[in-house]
Amino acid sequence: MTARFGSLLALVALAACGPKNVRDIVGQPIADHAARIAVAEPMFLNARLQQQEEGPKTDMDVWRSNTWVGRIWFGGGYDLIPEEGDQIRSIDVTLDENEAFTEQVRQWVKDVSPVILADAGYELASPVGEVQFSTPERREQRGTIEFDGKDNVNLPRFDLVPGPPISPGVKTDADAIFVPVVVSYYAHNAGWFIGQEDGSWGGARLRLYWSLVAPDDGQVLGWGEVGTRIDEMRLASPNRQQQQDLLLTVEAEAAE
C-alpha cells in the first residue's frame, strides 16, 4: 500500500523538475492505509475563511491575502501605497470575473482529481460531494526566494498546513477522502503586485491544496500543495482568449 500512496507524492514532486515557472510544495507522506479513495467537492480557501468570520471580506482584502479567484487588471502606474505598509503596488487594481473563474476552476478540479488518482493506481469510490473539513492553517514564510521582486503574487507568502481533524460527516465505503481546496486562480495584465519592485508581465497563477482524510474521524492521512505560475515576457495586456491560454498553461502544469 505504501508504494501506491508514494506514487501520488512522486507525481506531485516530479513537477518541481519541470519548467521554472512551476513551484510545488509537497506535504507530509501519506500513511499506510488501504487505497480506495473518494473525491470530495472542491472547496475554496477564501470561502472557508469567510464562513469562519476570520478571513478577508472585500475583494481587495481577498486579493491582498493571495486567495483571489478571478481576473486582475492593473492600471495607473505604481506607487508606495500607505495601506500596504508603503510597499510598491499598482495604483489601480480592478478585480472581476470571480464567478466565471470560480466555476471554471471548480470544474477543472472535479475533472482532473479522479484522473490523477486513478493514473497513480488508486481505486476510486463514488464521489462524496461536500464534506465537513478543517480549514488549513496559514503560516507566513520567512525570508526571500528567487522570484521576489518580479513575481505575480503579493507579499508576504505563506504555507498551508492541516487544521485539526473534523469528521467529514458523509457516508462512504472508501478508505480515505481526497479533499481539494483552491487557494488561488487568476489571470492578470502587466503591473505591480504588492511588494514586487520590478513588476510582472501578463500571466496567471494556480494554487491548490489537498488533504487525504479518514472518512470516520477526519484524521489527516496525507496532505500537500501544488502551485504553478506563468509570467509571459512582453505580454502587457492579454485579451480574454490570451488570458485563457495562460490559465490553460498553469492548469496543465499543475496536472502534471
Side-chain angles (χ1 to χ4, degrees):
M1 296 300 180
T2 303
R4 299 176 73 187
F5 278 115
S7 63
L8 176 60
L9 288 180
L11 280 176
V12 177
L14 277 174
C17 301
K20 67 178 182 178
N21 58 327
V22 176
R23 178 174 183 266
D24 292 286
I25 310 163
V26 178
Q28 299 298 315
I30 297 176
D32 187 9
H33 291 261
R36 180 172 167 79
I37 298 177
V39 179
E41 186 74 12
M43 298 183 183
F44 291 79
L45 181 58
N46 180 57
R48 298 286 303 171
L49 294 173
Q50 289 178 326
Q51 289 170 7
Q52 297 176 5
E53 298 184 353
E54 62 182 37
K57 300 299 189 294
T58 70
D59 286 350
M60 278 298 294
D61 290 336
V62 175
W63 177 67
R64 289 187 189 100
S65 71
N66 291 321
T67 57
W68 175 248
V69 175
R71 190 184 76 131
I72 305 167
W73 205 255
F74 298 111
Y78 70 89
D79 202 352
L80 296 176
I81 309 297
E83 61 266 32
E84 314 296 356
D86 284 330
Q87 293 192 91
I88 285 179
R89 195 203 77 189
S90 285
I91 294 173
D92 298 324
V93 181
T94 300
L95 305 167
D96 56 19
E97 301 285 348
N98 171 251
E99 291 185 7
F101 279 44
T102 294
E103 185 51 40
Q104 187 166 285
V105 71
R106 186 200 309 276
Q107 191 60 54
W108 177 80
V109 173
K110 290 178 69 170
D111 290 344
V112 77
S113 296
V115 173
I116 290 176
L117 291 168
D119 286 348
Y122 301 106
E123 181 183 356
L124 294 176
S126 298
V128 293
E130 294 185 3
V131 300
Q132 300 177 46
F133 181 68
S134 179
T135 302
E137 298 175 358
R138 175 174 171 147
R139 294 183 179 175
E140 186 173 319
Q141 295 178 12
R142 299 177 60 188
T144 62
I145 67 168
E146 173 190 357
F147 292 124
D148 283 346
K150 54 184 180 293
D151 198 7
N152 54 356
V153 66
N154 294 316
L155 295 180
R157 303 174 187 274
F158 62 91
D159 293 323
L160 293 171
V161 296
I166 292 179
S167 174
V170 295
K171 292 184 178 180
T172 178
D173 61 355
D175 301 303
I177 300 174
F178 181 82
V179 184
V181 182
V182 177
V183 181
S184 58
Y185 176 79
Y186 52 78
H188 60 86
N189 68 328
W192 284 264
F193 286 76
I194 297 173
Q196 306 299 340
E197 297 179 1
D198 293 337
S200 171
W201 291 102
R205 181 180 281 271
L206 184 157
R207 182 174 179 179
L208 183 75
Y209 172 90
W210 59 269
S211 184
L212 197 74
V213 301
D216 49 359
D217 59 3
Q219 176 81 22
V220 177
L221 308 177
W223 62 275
E225 288 194 53
V226 57
T228 55
R229 65 178 294 278
I230 184 170
D231 186 355
E232 192 72 30
M233 184 69 73
R234 291 184 291 277
L235 179 62
S237 299
N239 60 35
R240 290 183 181 276
Q241 293 305 110
Q242 290 172 316
Q243 291 167 37
Q244 290 302 318
D245 286 342
L246 295 166
L247 291 168
L248 286 167
T249 298
V250 293
E251 290 170 10
E253 290 178 349
E256 290 174 6

